[in-house]
Each structure stands twice: as structure tokens, then as C-alpha cells.
Amino acid sequence: ESIYVLAHNSSWRSQTEAVLLNYNAAAYSIRARYTIDDRELENTLFFSREKGKDFKINHKPRADFNAGDRLKVVLFTPDDLYLVKGSPGLRRKFLDVILRQISMEYIQLGSNYNRILKKRNQQLKKGSATGKKWMVMNEVFTELAARLTMARINLVHLLDQEASHIYREFCQGKQALKIRYALSFMIENDKINISTLIQALEKEIHQKQPLEQRMGKSLLGPHLDDINIYQDERIARFYASQGQQRNIAVSLKIAEMNTMKKTTSVYPIFLLDEVLAELDPEKRHKLMEYLYRGSFQSFITALDYDEFKHTLNNSRGKISLVQEGQINKKG
């Protein structure tokens, strides 16, 4: 969790800083040394109830929590095993977490889009979605939505290439995997780019404006998009077994690793939190073998020490035992 917080400025468990503090503690401090392209770097993050956060790279204060030299991580938790059959919001978050780490532009796009979406919904709730001001707002909204959507579509294309290859290996070539981005609006043009997305979104907004006004919220846009995952040309959340869905989830997380390497030229750190216990022995073995062969660094947590020791080949990994807040090296 400390590694993740240093990379993302918050925990995946909670956005509230108080849950990261030890009982009765007033502050926390995290420091990490690492190398990127043979450059040695040090990141420090200090938080106190009184002063807030202070983030530094090589002892220099940085207000930008998404600096290029910051740690990059991929997190795999039991919740990710529900990527296939879970809610669309879970799959949108999956894309957003990746894009926020590899694209500064996407961070700004997302912030601006959420801001204009909030204003648009307020106007719809008030019943004041008319006039020139509303037209200008829609123009800004459609352009931001199109740019955000295009970034996600491009990412899904990369993930599809990686995940289909990995899944084939996991299921020994018996099933095929395909991932496609699912828009919340229709697009008639076969050629998808920012311009065609804007045109299609403007057309549907015009058609659905009466319904949006009645419901008091925006019914189109990337905040409602999804990912369609197919196994052998069938929607996986309906037709894939639970075991197959878990194989797909594992493939997606490894694809996330490889995609980040392709786009940034550096592998992120792979964090696996209590995932092994959720997998059957065969899947656990295949995942561990993939990690052994990988050119990236992995940190894995598990509750059962004996089972974990049996799963891990000690010649290729080190085990630390955490007891009462202390880390003891075991091998």
C-alpha cells in the first residue's frame, strides 16, 4: 500500500488520509529509492494532519503528483477478478488508472470533462438547458468527451493486442479473447476519430435533449461508456465460466503491465494484493511462472505463510514476514 500511495498520491482502499495514519499518529512519511533508465531517483511523500502533503523527487519539492519520474505501478486485487462481470464503472476505472499514469494530457482532459459534466447536469436539473450559453456548453462538452473517448479507444486497442496473446497462452490456445470499446452513443461512420465522434455525439444529444431534460442528467458521454470483452466471439460476462472470467482478468492485468511498458518504455512495478488465495492451484502456478519470466519487479502479499512459501520458488524471490507492524526477512 505504501508503494501504491507513493505512485498515486492516495490508497486504493480509501481517499481519506486519516485511514493511512497509525493510531494516534499525527503524520506519515514514505520514501523510496529506485532506478529508471539507469537514473537513480528518490521519492518522498510526507503527510501531516496540520500541514497536509509534501511530495519531493530527489529532494526537490514537486507540486505535480503525476511527474514523469514518479513511480508507476499496476495493482492487482481480488476486486479485479470481477473486471469481466462487474459494473461498467469498474472497467472505466481500469482504463482511467492506466491513462492517468501514462498521459498528462488525459489527466487534464478528465478534470475538465468532469467539471463541464457537473455544470451540464446542474443546468439540466434546473431546467435551464436552453439558449446560447447552453449551446456553448454543449460544444465544449462534446469536444472534451470526444478527446477523452479517443484516448480510451486507442488504449483498448493496445490492451486487446496484449491480452489476446496472453489469454491464448493461459488457456493453451483453446479460447480466443477480444476487447472492444463500447460507446454510449451510436456512430454511423466506420472511421472513428475525434471529428466523427463529435458529430455523432452532437447528433444524439440533439435527439435525446428532451429525455435529458426530463431526467435532469447527461445520458451520453464517456462517463457511461464500457468495454465489451468477448471470448470466442461471445460476451464473456454472459457466456464465460467463472474460471474463464478469472483467466481473462489475470490476462488484462498483465496486458496492463505490457501496455504501460510499450507507451512509457519502462515497466511499472506489479503489486498483487491477496490474489493468489483467490486462484486455483493451476492458475496460481501459471501466474507465478509468468512473473518469474517477466522483466519487471513484483510485490505479492498473502496471509497464509506456509501456502505462500510452497507457491513461491525461493531461488527466484524473497519472502518477508510482517508481524505486529514489523517486517522480518525470511529468505
Side-chain angles (χ1 to χ4, degrees):
E1 187 170 21
S2 294
I3 297 170
Y4 186 91
V5 170
L6 197 59
H8 283 276
N9 194 36
S10 62
S11 169
W12 73 89
R13 295 188 299 115
S14 173
Q15 296 294 316
T16 305
E17 295 296 336
V19 302
L20 301 179
L21 292 172
N22 204 344
Y23 297 120
N24 302 318
Y28 72 73
S29 179
I30 305 171
R31 181 176 66 176
R33 294 191 183 99
Y34 55 97
T35 58
I36 296 179
D37 294 331
D38 297 324
R39 291 182 299 117
E40 293 193 6
L41 296 161
E42 181 178 288
N43 279 15
T44 56
L45 178 62
F46 176 80
F47 170 81
S48 71
R49 297 182 192 274
E50 294 183 358
K51 297 181 180 180
K53 285 183 179 175
D54 178 39
F55 175 59
K56 294 179 181 178
I57 296 180
N58 286 349
H59 310 290
K60 295 179 181 179
R62 297 292 295 266
D64 178 13
F65 280 98
N66 295 284
D69 286 338
R70 192 166 192 165
L71 277 174
K72 302 288 191 297
V73 302
V74 168
L75 174 70
F76 191 10
T77 75
D79 288 344
D80 292 314
L81 294 170
Y82 298 94
L83 267 172
V84 178
K85 66 178 180 180
S87 68
L90 190 62
R91 289 182 287 277
R92 288 193 297 268
K93 183 180 179 182
F94 170 63
L95 297 181
D96 288 342
V97 168
I98 301 172
L99 284 164
R100 282 198 293 266
Q101 289 196 89
I102 65 177
S103 171
M104 295 293 292
E105 181 185 2
Y106 189 83
I107 296 168
Q108 191 62 49
L109 274 174
S111 176
N112 291 341
Y113 177 77
N114 289 332
R115 192 157 47 242
I116 197 73
L117 175 64
K118 183 178 179 180
K119 289 181 180 178
R120 194 173 188 275
N121 287 340
Q122 288 173 346
Q123 294 296 102
L124 286 166
K125 287 177 183 177
K126 291 178 183 176
S128 55
T130 57
K132 188 174 181 180
K133 184 179 178 181
W134 175 250
M135 289 177 60
V136 172
M137 184 180 293
N138 272 340
E139 288 176 5
V140 176
F141 174 78
T142 53
E143 182 173 353
L144 289 172
R147 292 186 180 280
L148 200 72
T149 301
M150 199 68 234
R152 287 183 180 174
I153 290 172
N154 290 335
L155 174 61
V156 167
H157 178 68
L158 293 174
L159 288 170
D160 175 59
Q161 292 177 331
E162 292 293 331
S164 59
H165 172 72
I166 295 163
Y167 187 68
R168 203 177 304 120
E169 183 179 338
F170 263 76
C171 65
Q172 299 176 326
K174 295 177 182 178
Q175 285 99 31
L177 182 68
K178 187 166 61 178
I179 309 168
R180 295 292 182 268
Y181 192 78
L183 296 164
S184 58
F185 54 93
M186 296 292 295
I187 184 165
E188 298 172 358
N189 198 321
D190 291 335
K191 187 176 181 181
I192 297 180
N193 53 41
I194 291 173
S195 179
T196 57
L197 286 170
I198 289 174
Q199 292 172 11
L201 189 52
E202 285 176 342
K203 182 179 178 181
E204 283 226 28
I205 282 177
H206 178 72
Q207 292 174 348
K208 289 195 174 180
Q209 185 167 341
L211 181 59
E212 283 190 326
Q213 289 176 328
R214 285 200 302 273
M215 298 189 69
K217 62 181 180 180
S218 301
L219 301 177
L220 304 163
H223 63 289
L224 295 171
D225 291 349
D226 199 354
I227 308 173
N228 284 337
I229 302 170
Y230 301 88
Q231 179 184 269
D232 294 337
E233 305 297 331
R234 294 181 175 182
I235 294 287
R237 66 177 175 270
F238 298 136
Y239 294 101
S241 68
Q242 184 171 330
Q244 289 168 335
Q245 289 183 17
R246 293 191 166 204
N247 276 348
I248 293 171
V250 172
S251 300
L252 284 171
K253 297 308 291 186
I254 296 174
E256 180 181 350
M257 289 283 302
N258 294 341
T259 298
M260 287 183 67
K261 170 63 167 65
K262 278 188 173 181
T263 54
T264 66
S265 77
V266 176
Y267 269 117
I269 295 171
F270 201 11
L271 307 177
L272 300 94
D273 185 47
E274 277 302 309
V275 174
L276 297 181
E278 303 290 331
L279 303 175
D280 62 43
E282 182 183 358
K283 292 187 185 72
R284 198 158 54 227
H285 175 73
K286 286 182 178 179
L287 176 58
M288 294 302 292
E289 281 298 319
Y290 197 94
L291 298 184
Y292 292 145
R293 300 198 309 268
S295 301
F296 46 83
Q297 188 175 15
S298 302
F299 289 84
I300 308 171
T301 61
L303 287 175
D304 191 328
Y305 173 71
D306 292 330
E307 182 179 349
F308 185 66
K309 183 180 178 182
H310 177 73
T311 301
L312 184 68
N313 184 324
N314 283 334
S315 64
R316 293 181 284 183
K318 295 182 179 179
I319 297 178
S320 297
L321 193 63
V322 181
Q323 293 177 308
E324 298 180 359
Q326 300 296 317
I327 299 176
N328 303 310
K329 294 280 179 76
K330 300 296 287 188

